[in-house]
Amino acid sequence: MNVTQHTGRLVLAEPLRISRSTMSARDAVRLTVEHEGLRGHGEAVTSVFYGLGTSALQRLLADVAGRLTRFAGPESALHALRVGELTAPDTPAAVTAATEAALLDLVGKRTATSVHAFLGSPEAPRAATARTISLTSPGRAAARARLLADAGFSVIKIKAGDRDQETDLDRVRAVRAAAPGARLLLDPNGAWSAGRARRLLPRFAELGVEAVEQPLAPGDPEALARLAARSPLPVIADEDAVTYEDARRLAGRVHGINVKLAKCGGVHAALRIAALIEGSGTDLMLGCLTASTLGIAPAVHIADRARWIDLDGHLLLAHDPWTGIGGADGFVGTTGRPGLGVRQRTAVEHGTSEEAAS
């Protein structure tokens, strides 16, 4: 097998502000595995929170590329990845997830099978995705919510964690008024103390918020579980639920776990967590980092397993270099085409010189 990588810049249509940072762009490193005339692709993106810079991703994926060339084909490489024999033990989850995606894409193309079918879902998943509104003024949030509702979005996620808690409340009130039929999720990204959370959660419940992600600073999952036990609305663990063991400790003690492929290690790792929490009273949420359609696509193939879907990372971009999972109408889905079912935009579509991927 031949393995290459390509680094590109993903620029957001507008800066995304959350309680701990503001982001306007990030790099994406694409891993391409070629075998017998077909190519499979996966993507890893840089992340300050997870400590992954561009050079680190390039180096780590180059190491994976060297290991992949030892295998006769993608099927044996995918098996080795699943049993922990392909990547080094300390390989970041984002690198493992990108490698798995490229192999799944290639195996699917070689067998004329869509990844969702390969993973056990005969029907192509299609699900309503949340769309994120960042920390902004209530007026701007309302205007954005109105546009989203008009476009077809039925789930809106509102960032919280403003220094002035009343501004957070006003933002939710404004969004509720602008999109009265939408389901509302709230995400403070760990900005609240336990005391503030106890005071605020009843007020947000009164405003019709459906669930809140990671209200407390990560690092004390026991505190999150205690808060969830008395919360008037569902509490979803995100930054406190990174690994399988994290999920095991919180299963049945929080209302949801936000599984992101880049933090758990790919779709098979995500499905292990889904199986672990099934029947425990803890539901699955599928989230993502800001990435292109290529980076989001693997999660879309398991979207039928989750209660909450937050796969809008590609929708935040000024220009998405890939296409194939939709989302602009409030729904993400797979095409049924072999592999991940995505393709690289042509020069005309994207204004670049790169050809459409095979």
Side-chain angles (χ1 to χ4, degrees):
M1 293 190 294
N2 183 47
V3 187
T4 58
Q5 65 172 259
H6 170 82
T7 302
R9 189 73 167 162
L10 301 177
V11 179
L12 276 67
E14 58 184 46
L16 176 65
R17 182 184 168 219
I18 65 175
S19 60
R20 62 173 178 258
S21 63
T22 300
M23 181 182 65
S24 58
R26 71 184 347 150
D27 285 341
V29 183
R30 182 179 77 237
L31 183 75
T32 298
V33 184
E34 184 172 359
H35 186 64
E36 296 181 346
L38 294 173
R39 289 180 287 173
H41 308 281
E43 178 183 273
V45 295
T46 54
S47 170
V48 173
F49 185 79
Y50 292 111
L52 288 175
T54 306
S55 60
L57 279 180
Q58 292 169 334
R59 174 179 53 79
L60 290 161
L61 286 169
D63 179 68
V64 168
R67 294 168 182 259
L68 283 172
T69 58
R70 304 170 192 169
F71 291 87
E75 294 82 4
S76 59
L78 185 59
H79 174 75
L81 183 71
R82 290 179 187 169
V83 300
E85 296 176 353
L86 174 57
T87 56
D90 59 349
T91 300
V95 173
T96 301
T99 304
E100 181 197 49
L103 292 172
L104 283 171
D105 191 30
L106 182 53
V107 170
K109 289 172 179 175
R110 280 167 55 80
T111 58
T113 305
S114 184
V115 165
H116 68 81
F118 187 75
L119 297 173
S121 295
E123 298 295 325
R126 184 174 185 269
T129 181
R131 185 72 156 81
T132 300
I133 294 178
S134 67
L135 282 180
T136 187
S137 70
R140 288 177 178 269
R144 173 62 67 182
R146 195 171 295 110
L147 289 173
L148 293 176
D150 289 345
F153 285 88
S154 60
V155 187
I156 297 175
K157 184 165 92 168
I158 308 165
K159 290 295 186 179
D162 201 287
R163 290 184 179 182
D164 178 5
Q165 66 184 37
E166 294 301 322
T167 301
D168 280 342
L169 288 158
D170 288 343
R171 188 180 303 110
V172 172
R173 290 190 190 98
V175 170
R176 168 57 71 211
R183 298 163 54 198
L184 302 185
L185 305 176
L186 192 69
D187 186 7
N189 289 106
W192 296 344
S193 65
R196 174 174 278 201
R198 286 192 297 269
R199 292 191 301 271
L200 288 178
L201 288 177
R203 300 180 69 183
F204 283 114
E206 290 174 358
L207 293 174
V209 170
E210 179 176 320
V212 59
E213 286 183 60
Q214 195 68 44
L216 306 182
D220 190 353
E222 293 300 316
L224 191 68
R226 288 193 299 270
L227 179 68
R230 299 184 178 184
S231 175
L233 53 80
V235 171
I236 302 169
D238 183 358
E239 288 90 343
D240 266 329
V242 176
T243 67
Y244 181 88
E245 286 304 310
D246 292 338
R248 183 184 60 78
R249 284 190 288 269
L250 287 169
R253 305 178 67 205
V254 294
H255 304 92
I257 288 179
N258 186 345
V259 172
K260 297 173 183 173
L261 304 191
K263 71 175 182 178
C264 75
V267 292
H268 283 94
L271 291 176
R272 285 188 69 217
I273 293 174
L276 168 71
I277 65 177
E278 186 175 4
S280 70
T282 297
D283 290 314
L284 181 69
M285 178 178 190
L286 277 175
C288 63
L289 302 182
T290 303
S292 77
T293 281
L294 174 62
I296 305 297
V300 176
H301 282 268
I302 58 171
D304 55 341
R305 322 292 178 97
R307 175 179 173 181
W308 298 284
I309 305 295
D310 181 24
L311 299 176
D312 68 338
H314 62 304
L315 301 176
L316 306 180
L317 303 179
H319 299 287
D320 185 352
W322 293 79
T323 186
I325 60 173
D329 62 350
F331 290 84
V332 290
T334 60
T335 61
R337 291 195 294 264
L340 292 175
V342 302
R343 67 174 177 84
Q344 204 167 3
R345 294 185 188 273
T346 63
V348 172
E349 291 174 306
H350 188 54
T352 72
S353 60
E354 291 192 80
E355 296 293 329
S358 64

